[in-house]
Structure formats: structure tokens, C-alpha cells
């Protein structure tokens, strides 16, 4: 539990930096075109409009990246529900020690947190991609740029929610080993899983940090 809370806090802080986006117009139009994008999109010189046209390939790649968060979060929710389903019969047992009851309480809290935050992430990024594609499909580039710019906070909180869901799922899996098995082996298995989980979190936390420093700097 300690490692999950600590890692969660660290990753949420990192998430704030990785979602600090460049101005949306620069990201999709280029620096030079960004300065004249607003005028061109509302009607103006034909040459300027041609320079300021959206790079739809880059937009498509960006939206595909955002939709990946929703897909992964839905898979995490499904996996979390699977763990809960396999553990349910053990949870309702009444002949438990104080330690077992505490573990089960923490487990249920983590499962609930993982599912709720995963659901939030899925809905947020699905709606972001849906409305963005709708605006582009209607050839309303100005609306797309405005929508994408004003939903930066939603992308940030969605990413933070994604990290919380991932960490909660990992911690709940480790605790499920304690609940599902008897004897000393459950503590060995849970401790080994927790160690491997911490190592993996350290690894992908570095990737997130590098992404924030290099890609979004």
C-alpha cells in the first residue's frame, strides 16, 4: 500500500509536466502558420490560407495517441473486474483475522479506485477524440483548434486518472495474492509481486519523465 501511494503521488506530479502542451495552433500548423491561422481560417488571402491549413496527418496521429489512453483504461477495468471476480468468494468469508479483514478492505478500496478512475479516463479521451473528429469531419478547423485548446485541463486530469488506475490495479493484484492463498506462500508471492511492480513502475516513470522533458519541452 505504501509503495502504491508513493508512486501514485510521484507519477501524478510527472503527469502535470507531460501534459503541458505547446500552443495547439503551433502543434498542428507550425510556428509560422500559427500566427496567421486565425485570419486564414476565417477567410483571407488564399496564399496565407494554404500555408495555415491543418496538417491532418499530424492531427490524426495525435488523436490516435489520445484514443490509446481510453483503450488501455478499458482493458485495465476489465482486468480489475476479473481480479475482483476471482477474489469475491474469499472476501465474503467471515472467519477472518484482523490482518485479513484489513487487507480485504484495502483491496476493495483499490479495486473501486482503479475501476472509477479507469472509467473516467475512458470517457474523457473518448469524448475528446469524438468531438475533435466531428469538428474536423465538418471541415470546421477553427472549432477543432478552439476545442482542443480549451480541453487541455481535461487531457491533464485524464492522464492523471490513467496513472492512478494503473497503480491501483497493480497494488490490488498484489493484495489479491494474499486473499486468494493460505499460509506463508501468500506473503512470499505478494512480496515478490510488489517488488516487481515497484521495479516496473520506476522504469515506466522514467519514460514518462523523459517524454515530458523531451517531447513537450
Amino acid at each position: 500500500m505504501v509503495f502504491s501511494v508513493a508512486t501514485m503521488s510521484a507519477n501524478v506530479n510527472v503527469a502535470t509536466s507531460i501534459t503541458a502542451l505547446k500552443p495547439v495552433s503551433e502543434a498542428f500548423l507550425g510556428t509560422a502558420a500559427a500566427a496567421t491561422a486565425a485570419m486564414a481560417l476565417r477567410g483571407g488571402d488564399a496564399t496565407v490560407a494554404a500555408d495555415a491549413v491543418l496538417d491532418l496527418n499530424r492531427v490524426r496521429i495525435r488523436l490516435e495517441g489520445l484514443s490509446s489512453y481510453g483503450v488501455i483504461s478499458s482493458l485495465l477495468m476489465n482486468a480489475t473486474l476479473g481480479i475482483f471476480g476471482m477474489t469475491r468468494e474469499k472476501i465474503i468469508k467471515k472467519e477472518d483475522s484482523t490482518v485479513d479483514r484489513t487487507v480485504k478492505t484495502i483491496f476493495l478500496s483499490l479495486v473501486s479506485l482503479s475501476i472509477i478512475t479507469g472509467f473516467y479516463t475512458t470517457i474523457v479521451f473518448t469524448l475528446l477524440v469524438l468531438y475533435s473528429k466531428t469538428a474536423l469531419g465538418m471541415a470546421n478547423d477553427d472549432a477543432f483548434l478552439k476545442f482542443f485548446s480549451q480541453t487541455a485541463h481535461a487531457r491533464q486530469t485524464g492522464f492523471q486518472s490513467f496513472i492512478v488506475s494503473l497503480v491501483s490495479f497493480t497494488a490490488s493484484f498484489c493484495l489479491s495474492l494474499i486473499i486468494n492463498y493460505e499460509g506463508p506462500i501468500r506473503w512470499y508471492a505478494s512480496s515478490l509481486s510488489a517488488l516487481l511492480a515497484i521495479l516496473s513502475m520506476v522504469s515506466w516513470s522514467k519514460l514518462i519523465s523523459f517524454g515530458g522533458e523531451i517531447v513537450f519541452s
Side-chain angles (χ1 to χ4, degrees):
M1 181 62 183
V2 175
F3 83 83
S4 64
V5 174
T7 308
M8 185 187 306
S9 176
N11 282 307
V12 167
N13 291 333
V14 173
T16 303
S17 64
I18 193 172
T19 51
L21 304 174
K22 296 178 182 179
V24 175
S25 56
E26 289 189 18
F28 294 130
L29 299 175
T31 304
T36 56
M39 181 184 72
L41 289 170
R42 290 178 174 81
D45 184 80
T47 304
V48 174
D51 291 337
V53 67
L54 282 173
D55 187 340
L56 293 181
N57 284 330
R58 291 186 181 276
V59 173
R60 176 180 57 80
I61 293 172
R62 182 65 188 279
L63 293 179
E64 287 177 352
L66 293 179
S67 65
S68 297
Y69 289 115
V71 174
I72 296 173
S73 293
S74 64
L75 293 175
L76 277 176
M77 283 193 296
N78 185 57
T80 304
L81 288 171
I83 292 176
F84 175 74
M86 292 185 297
T87 313
R88 183 177 178 277
E89 292 185 2
K90 297 284 186 178
I91 292 177
I92 60 179
K93 285 178 58 178
K94 296 182 179 180
E95 312 80 33
D96 286 331
S97 64
T98 303
V99 173
D100 286 332
R101 287 195 297 269
T102 302
V103 170
K104 290 178 180 180
T105 301
I106 297 174
F107 170 79
L108 289 174
S109 300
L110 290 172
V111 166
S112 300
L113 182 62
S114 180
I115 292 175
I116 292 173
T117 53
F119 178 77
Y120 174 80
T121 303
T122 301
I123 293 300
V124 165
F125 284 106
T126 298
L127 290 176
L128 285 171
V129 173
L130 176 64
Y131 284 114
S132 296
K133 288 185 175 180
T134 299
L136 292 171
M138 296 173 64
N140 195 344
D141 297 347
D142 195 18
F144 163 72
L145 291 174
K146 183 177 180 180
F147 173 76
F148 208 82
S149 176
Q150 293 185 355
T151 54
H153 179 69
R155 294 195 300 276
Q156 177 178 324
T157 56
F159 181 80
Q160 293 172 342
S161 180
F162 171 76
I163 295 297
V164 172
S165 179
L166 180 58
V167 174
S168 301
F169 165 76
T170 304
S172 63
F173 171 77
C174 296
L175 293 180
S176 71
L177 297 175
I178 299 176
I179 298 173
N180 284 318
Y181 295 95
E182 302 290 342
I185 190 174
R186 63 178 182 166
W187 300 105
Y188 296 141
S190 180
S191 299
L192 178 60
S193 298
L195 176 60
L196 294 176
I198 292 174
L199 293 177
S200 67
M201 288 180 189
V202 170
S203 179
W204 54 255
S205 295
K206 290 180 180 179
L207 291 177
I208 294 175
S209 179
F210 292 154
E213 294 175 2
I214 299 173
V215 177
F216 293 101
S217 60

